[in-house]
């Protein structure tokens, strides 16, 4: 009997950590559904991965700031006969102006992209994972999730939401063979700062603070495979997160699991 390869859905797959996850998983034989706004980049990446690793790579161009996108993505996956076994919720951005000076449509798009769409994609793939008794979800948070709130920006609060929600989902879903990990990188060499217009400031940061996306992805994938609900990649980031958060990650997770109001239901 032929075994069907597992499939991974990766959002924000056209560059940076998302594209690196695509390369990492393709090298391990996963079929891919690559999602981002830039269709040309997705098609180029899909062609490269298909040639290098002989894996199936589907492409779906979508803007996840549009509320209809998550349903459309999963509808396409179903039409293509792809059961999503791995979800990499990577798509993200950061605001560049003060909250009060930013148009509401821009703020709503930020929330839709990194809170609502990410949560909806997980909600839509989890039933199939539960049925197959296997699943892996990586939600991109940030070391900023451990920091005090930053002036005017939603980013810290959003990434804290991702961190906390990922741990809650991991508690709920691990008995069903599904691991959920909040991946919390710090400064990473990607296009993020170019897109956000913060490259000049980023270039003045010490080199010791930076990681390559390949290192972030390797540590994040190892963490979700091993059932770790939180992954802070890199020694410097681990020290920073521990210094900013009074209760160690593992103890916080165990405390939350103990206090779970649904554990006896």
């Amino acid at each position: 009997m032929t075994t069907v390869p597992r499939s991974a859905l990766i959002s924000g797959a056209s560059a940076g950590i998302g594209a690196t996850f695509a390369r990492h998983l393709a090298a391990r034989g996963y079929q891919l559904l690559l999602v981002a706004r830039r269709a040309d980049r997705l098609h180029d990446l899909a062609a490269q991965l298909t040639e290098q690793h002989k894996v199936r790579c589907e492409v779906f161009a979508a803007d996840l700031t549009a509320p209809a996108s998550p349903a459309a993505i999963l509808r396409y996956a179903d039409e293509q006969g792809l059961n999503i076994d791995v979800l990499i919720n990577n798509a993200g951005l950061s605001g560049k102006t003060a909250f009060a000076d930013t148009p509401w449509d821009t703020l709503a798009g930020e929330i839709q992209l990194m809170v609502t769409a990410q949560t909806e994609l997980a909600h839509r793939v989890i039933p199939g994972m539960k049925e197959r008794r296997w699943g892996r979800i990586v939600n991109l948070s940030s070391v900023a999730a451990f920091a005090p709130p930053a002036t005017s920006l939603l980013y810290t609060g959003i990434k804290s939401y991702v961190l906390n929600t990922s741990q809650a989902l991991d508690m709920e879903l691990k008995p069903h063979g599904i691991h959920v990990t909040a991946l919390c990188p710090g400064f990473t060499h990607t296009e993020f700062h170019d897109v956000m217009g913060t490259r000049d400031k980023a270039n003045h940061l010490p080199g010791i603070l930076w990681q390559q996306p390949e290192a972030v992805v390797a540590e994040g994938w190892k963490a979700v495979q091993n059932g770790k609900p939180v992954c802070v990649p890199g020694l410097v980031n681990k020290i920073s997160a521990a210094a900013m958060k009074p209760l160690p990650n593992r103890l916080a997770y165990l405390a939350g699991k103990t206090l779970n109001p649904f554990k006896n239901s």
Side-chain angles (χ1 to χ4, degrees):
M1 185 174 66
T2 303
T3 302
V4 177
R6 289 191 168 121
S7 301
L9 164 57
I10 305 172
S11 71
S14 60
I17 290 174
T20 305
F21 259 115
R23 296 186 184 97
H24 192 86
L25 294 177
R28 285 151 181 78
Y30 284 83
Q31 300 181 128
L32 302 177
L33 174 53
L34 307 178
V35 176
R37 292 177 300 163
R38 296 177 286 188
D40 55 340
R41 285 202 174 193
L42 291 179
H43 283 292
D44 288 345
L45 178 60
Q48 292 171 18
L49 297 179
T50 299
E51 181 178 356
Q52 292 172 4
H53 303 292
K54 313 304 179 189
V55 295
R56 179 184 177 187
C57 290
E58 296 290 340
V59 166
F60 191 87
D63 183 351
L64 283 167
T65 65
S69 290
I73 292 166
L74 270 300
R75 187 164 54 248
Y76 178 79
D78 186 59
E79 291 169 354
Q80 300 304 310
L82 293 173
N83 294 320
I84 303 302
D85 303 295
V86 175
L87 172 62
I88 309 294
N89 263 321
N90 168 72
L93 53 80
S94 177
K96 296 181 285 186
T97 57
F99 179 88
D101 298 331
T102 306
W104 171 247
D105 288 350
T106 301
L107 295 174
E110 192 174 340
I111 295 167
Q112 175 67 35
L113 174 65
M114 294 191 291
V115 175
T116 307
Q118 184 175 116
T119 308
E120 183 179 351
L121 285 172
H123 190 264
R124 288 181 177 275
V125 301
I126 284 169
M129 291 178 175
K130 288 179 71 173
E131 183 178 337
R132 295 185 295 275
R133 302 289 300 176
W134 196 93
R136 301 290 184 264
I137 299 174
V138 176
N139 293 324
L140 260 291
S141 181
S142 168
V143 74
F146 302 95
T151 303
S152 295
L153 297 179
L154 295 177
Y155 190 80
T156 303
I158 287 173
K159 292 305 185 181
S160 296
Y161 167 85
V162 174
L163 172 63
N164 293 331
T165 302
S166 298
Q167 292 178 91
L169 286 176
D170 187 71
M171 293 175 195
E172 176 183 341
L173 299 172
K174 193 158 282 175
H176 302 279
I178 303 168
H179 299 172
V180 183
T181 295
L183 178 56
C184 305
F187 294 106
T188 308
H189 287 294
T190 68
E191 295 179 2
F192 182 84
H193 293 283
D194 298 307
V195 174
M196 293 298 103
T198 56
R199 174 56 61 192
D200 287 343
K201 292 181 179 179
N203 285 342
H204 287 87
L205 295 171
I208 194 174
L209 297 179
W210 292 88
Q211 280 190 290
Q212 295 297 332
E214 291 79 8
V216 172
V217 166
E219 195 166 343
W221 184 246
K222 182 179 179 181
V224 75
Q225 287 287 70
N226 290 339
K228 292 179 61 177
V230 179
C231 175
V232 181
L235 179 60
V236 171
N237 293 325
K238 286 179 172 64
I239 293 171
S240 298
M244 291 185 287
K245 194 172 180 66
L247 197 61
N249 293 330
R250 182 61 181 163
L251 291 180
Y253 180 88
L254 290 174
K257 192 172 183 180
T258 300
L259 297 172
N260 175 15
F262 301 105
K263 63 182 179 181
N264 295 320
S265 61

